Amino acid sequence: MKKSGSLSTSRRQFLHHSVALGASVASGLSGLGNAFAADADNGKSRLILLGTAGGPTPKPNRAAPAQVLVVNGASYVIDCGNGVANQFIKAKLKLSSIKNIFITHQHSDHNADFGNLMLLAWAADLHTKVESYGPPPLAEMRKLFLQMNDYDIRTRMADEGRPSLADLFQVHEITSDGFVMQDANVKVTAALVEHPPVSPAFAYRFDCPDRSIVFSGDTHPSDNLIKLAKGADVLVHEVMHLPSLDKLIATETNAKTLREHLLASHTSTEQVGRVASEAGVKTLVLSHFVPGGYPFLADEVWADAVRPYFSGNLVVGRDLMEL
């Protein structure tokens, strides 16, 4: 290719507009009071659904509940179902990128690998402190997990020269609505939701430089969630298909009151559509599917059941889907 000794008119125009765009974006961020330290090039958030099944039993087609939001290379993990570390690697993310962990509520499909995620990240390449947030007994869970794995931790520290896992593994218990934390990438707000008999249970809103994303956690239709999600760009919400409950319950022979729990604590396809519409969200992402394994339901079944009640962008989530 022939090199030119001077800039062409079109290239000068391109550079001029690029500089103007950069200045405009920088000015906009400054107008937010420097709430976010991201620039136009690396401030875009990535939402990855690590696991989209609902319930504690392993499924052949969906992993246990977990999501990760990545902003400027920092990973914010929401819920830690079984196998979350493996899903993290499948998503081509480095475990050392974990900055914060958020637990929505203390059910085993959401917290089973809370400690394991930290242990496995530490055994890989994690060397920075991770602050975790969630309802009690989060602090006791951390304490007991470190005790349970004390032999392995001490062995690896002495034999492999690793830092103290206890120093990297920090927790903060939350019990009420409101502000949770803020850094250069995200502002996180929590709202109490209805998931009896588990209490407290939370939904989380993440306000990023480029968009707002809300995670419902497990909940019955909730006015608090609607308020939290008002005007959000994305709502990731659990969903239950009522016509399939009989077949699902038939496989859970030791759960005598499962039907009552599901109806009192979760959100049907019609209800989730109405919640998203009332909140005025732009995109509704279905996840935490009940049933999540058997009986298997095609994406079209889920979408057709929600669509009459929500006219915005509708996404049927899948494991490792990025939005």
Side-chain angles (χ1 to χ4, degrees), residues 77-265:
V77 181
I78 301 90
D79 283 332
C80 295
N82 176 40
V84 62
N86 194 45
Q87 293 297 101
F88 209 84
I89 297 304
K90 287 182 179 179
K92 296 181 172 55
L93 298 173
K94 291 181 69 66
L95 290 165
S96 59
S97 71
I98 299 173
K99 191 172 189 299
N100 295 105
I101 298 172
F102 302 84
I103 301 297
T104 59
H105 66 288
Q106 301 298 1
H107 255 155
S108 57
D109 51 331
H110 295 257
N111 68 13
D113 271 8
F114 171 55
N116 281 337
L117 177 60
M118 285 297 301
L119 180 70
L120 297 173
W122 171 79
D125 55 357
L126 180 70
H127 59 277
T128 54
K129 189 177 296 185
V130 174
E131 306 281 349
S132 300
Y133 301 84
L138 200 67
E140 185 70 5
M141 290 164 60
R142 170 193 177 275
K143 174 184 174 182
L144 294 175
F145 183 85
L146 291 173
Q147 289 178 1
M148 179 179 72
N149 291 280
D150 181 62
Y151 179 83
D152 177 70
I153 293 168
R154 286 190 292 106
T155 299
R156 294 188 185 279
M157 288 173 63
D159 188 45
E160 301 170 8
R162 297 185 182 277
S164 166
L165 176 56
D167 290 344
L168 304 184
F169 192 0
Q170 302 298 310
V171 302
H172 307 272
E173 292 187 345
I174 58 175
T175 57
S176 60
D177 295 299
F179 173 82
V180 176
M181 58 81 67
Q182 183 170 351
D183 64 13
N185 300 316
V186 298
K187 176 184 177 182
V188 183
T189 310
L192 286 163
V193 293
E194 303 169 25
H195 190 53
V198 177
S199 180
F202 291 101
Y204 292 109
R205 177 176 178 134
F206 289 73
D207 288 298
C208 307
D210 60 334
R211 57 180 175 168
S212 52
I213 302 173
V214 176
F215 300 90
S216 72
D218 283 11
T219 183
H220 191 261
S222 165
D223 289 338
N224 264 4
L225 172 62
I226 292 171
K227 292 176 184 176
L228 183 73
K230 277 290 185 184
D233 294 292
V234 180
L235 170 62
V236 181
H237 203 295
E238 65 133 271
V239 65
M240 176 174 60
H241 190 253
L242 292 178
S244 299
L245 290 192
D246 285 341
K247 289 183 178 180
L248 167 64
I249 291 168
T251 68
E252 303 279 355
T253 56
N254 62 340
K256 304 302 183 184
T257 58
L258 179 59
R259 178 187 296 277
E260 289 82 354
H261 164 72
L262 292 174
L263 294 177
S265 303

Side-chain angles (χ1 to χ4, degrees), residues 270-283:
E270 175 181 343
Q271 291 169 332
V272 71
R274 294 188 184 279
V275 165
S277 293
E278 189 170 348
V281 302
K282 296 176 183 176
T283 297

Side-chain angles (χ1 to χ4, degrees), residues 277-298:
S277 293
E278 189 170 348
V281 302
K282 296 176 183 176
T283 297
L284 170 62
V285 180
L286 304 180
S287 191
H288 193 282
F289 294 92
V290 178
Y294 176 83
F296 172 78
L297 300 177

Side-chain angles (χ1 to χ4, degrees), residues 35-69:
F36 303 109
D39 60 30
D41 294 325
N42 61 8
K44 184 178 180 181
S45 59
R46 300 170 58 199
L47 168 61
I48 303 173
L49 308 179
L50 298 177
T52 57
T57 55
K59 314 292 193 299
N61 57 318
R62 294 185 186 274
Q67 298 90 193
V68 61
L69 182 59

